[in-house]
Amino acid sequence: MNKVHDRSSELPAPSSVGDVLSDVLSSVRLTGSMLFLVDAHPPWMSWAPEAEAFRRVVLPQAQHMVSYHIVTRGRCWAGLRGAAPERFEAGDVLVIPHGAAYFLADSPEATPAYGAEEAVTFFRQMAAGELPSVVAEGGRGGEQTQFICGFLGCDTRPFNPVLAALAPLIHLRAASSAADRMRPLIEFALCELRGPSSGGRSVLLRLAELMFIEVVRRHLETVSTGQAGWLAGLHDPLVARTLSLLHGAPARRWTLDTLAAQTGTSRSVLAERFTQFVGQPPMHYLTQWRMQLAARMLGDPGVKVATVAAALGYESEAAFSRAFKRSAGMAPAGWRRRGEMEVGGVTIPTAEPRHPPVARTSSD
């Protein structure tokens, strides 16, 4: 039997790898919800309940809420509620991708000064623009800690490979490079937060999205080739090339044979390595990605199901509908109706916070 030569290691990481990440981030409807600055002095503890407790209050059209926090001055402890905290320094970033309850505090032994109802009410008011964009926590003396809080919504269904690849908590250390792309974004955000001006709310929401994208890009740089996962796959020449091909032409009638031919390897090597990183074979991934694209297209009430099916390479509306139902758990028409109706689901607290964070318009 002739030996099959795997030439995939000779492939450079394709220039369009960044576009694969852009593809996913644009498809999952990344939407800024709020961005504000916390100015804290001991003793203090800032915390958030599980995202589902306030997601439908502040961003009802989103399926999921992601939060991140950038320490801009001082230091603090942070972590998931009920787990051991980690020490954060100025420039460090805390990311909570999956909506778990978490906290930031001046001490690992700190206790919250307000409850879940007060926290939800605070987030509702902040998202509605009813509170100033700089919030004071704790006392007035001691070491000052400041951190930017960003919240944004996104889709998780039918398929969000970026979110699925992230750990429950991500701690990104401060970048040492002078060319750090985050620095000018932080400076811009601080300027807007401390000196609100006309159009500032729109600017802050766009900054919330842009800063999160940069956080994901920085996290991608920390992922090693020895790790598994969708993001790690972007560092592997074979997996990255395959993802680039699939995202570049999702409607094409791909087969494992054609993918193997275009990536210079065998069917078995391609299937094994792709599954190792991404967690599913290439053809399964393609179907999932097509369904995510379909879900986004179905959000437009003017687009017919047959049009979506044709755009994604399905020979018939029936074949597409069967594939979509297997992936999303409901028919395309039902998905569209669900999207139109999914605007509520939690009770908005009406009581004012008993011990809310104190908001102010400028920092000391």
Side-chain angles (χ1 to χ4, degrees):
M1 180 179 293
N2 293 331
K3 182 178 179 180
V4 175
H5 295 284
D6 178 13
R7 304 192 308 276
S8 62
S9 60
E10 303 170 8
L11 293 170
S15 59
S16 57
V17 164
D19 291 336
V20 173
L21 182 59
S22 296
D23 251 4
V24 175
L25 292 175
S26 63
S27 175
V28 298
R29 296 193 306 165
L30 207 59
T31 307
S33 171
M34 50 186 154
L35 190 75
F36 57 91
L37 179 68
V38 172
D39 181 19
H41 294 262
W44 66 273
M45 179 180 183
S46 179
W47 77 280
E50 292 185 358
E52 275 303 293
F54 62 95
R55 187 262 305 172
R56 292 188 181 181
V57 176
V58 303
L59 204 62
Q61 67 272 29
Q63 294 177 4
H64 182 70
M65 183 77 72
V66 174
S67 66
Y68 64 92
H69 304 268
I70 305 169
V71 180
T72 58
R73 181 181 299 180
R75 63 200 68 190
C76 67
W77 293 86
L80 302 181
R81 300 282 312 260
E86 299 180 26
R87 185 72 161 171
F88 282 71
E89 306 288 341
D92 286 4
V93 181
L94 167 70
V95 189
I96 309 296
H98 302 297
Y102 65 94
F103 74 94
L104 298 92
D106 66 314
S107 166
E109 291 78 34
T111 56
Y114 49 90
E117 181 178 313
E118 290 86 352
V120 171
T121 301
F122 168 78
F123 286 126
R124 175 181 61 79
Q125 294 175 327
M126 180 61 75
E130 298 172 2
L131 297 176
S133 54
V134 180
V135 176
E137 286 273 18
R140 292 286 176 175
E143 181 182 13
Q144 180 188 42
T145 300
Q146 288 188 335
F147 50 94
I148 293 173
C149 302
F151 295 81
L152 62 164
C154 68
D155 289 346
T156 56
R157 305 182 305 273
F159 188 48
N160 185 334
V162 172
L163 194 64
L166 300 178
L169 180 149
I170 297 173
H171 182 177
L172 295 177
R173 307 290 177 178
S176 57
S177 171
D180 178 25
R181 296 180 297 258
M182 182 67 82
R183 292 181 186 178
L185 295 177
I186 293 174
E187 292 173 3
F188 188 9
L190 290 174
C191 181
E192 286 291 330
L193 290 165
R194 290 168 174 159
S197 58
S198 179
R201 178 169 166 76
S202 294
V203 170
L204 290 176
L205 293 183
R206 299 294 81 75
L207 275 172
E209 299 167 14
L210 189 57
M211 292 173 75
F212 177 74
I213 292 172
E214 184 54 36
V215 164
V216 173
R217 293 169 73 187
R218 181 188 288 185
H219 178 59
L220 176 59
E221 294 172 355
T222 70
V223 176
S224 69
T225 54
Q227 295 177 263
W230 188 86
L231 289 172
L234 295 180
H235 289 303
D236 180 86
L238 175 56
V239 177
R241 175 63 176 166
T242 305
L243 287 169
S244 178
L245 290 169
L246 296 177
H247 280 257
R252 180 174 172 179
R253 295 181 181 178
W254 291 106
T255 66
L256 197 57
D257 284 322
T258 57
L259 279 173
Q262 293 206 25
T263 54
T265 189
S266 68
R267 288 164 42 99
S268 59
V269 169
L270 173 59
E272 180 180 358
R273 194 180 304 178
F274 192 95
T275 303
Q276 173 190 345
F277 280 97
V278 181
Q280 56 186 317
M283 295 300 99
H284 289 183
Y285 178 89
L286 175 61
T287 298
Q288 290 288 86
W289 178 239
R290 283 173 171 171
M291 295 307 102
Q292 178 59 38
L293 294 176
R296 184 68 187 273
M297 295 174 69
L298 289 168
D300 184 347
V303 176
K304 296 180 179 180
V305 174
T307 302
V308 176
L312 294 175
Y314 284 86
E315 295 182 351
S316 69
E317 181 179 337
F320 163 71
S321 295
R322 287 193 297 270
F324 190 89
K325 187 173 183 178
R326 282 195 300 270
S327 177
M330 63 180 70
W335 179 272
R336 174 173 284 166
R337 287 194 298 270
R338 178 210 54 81
E340 294 170 351
M341 297 174 62
E342 193 176 60
V343 294
V346 295
T347 301
I348 301 175
T350 56
E352 290 299 312
R354 294 187 295 274
H355 302 290
V358 179
R360 63 192 189 199
T361 57
S362 61
S363 59
D364 293 338

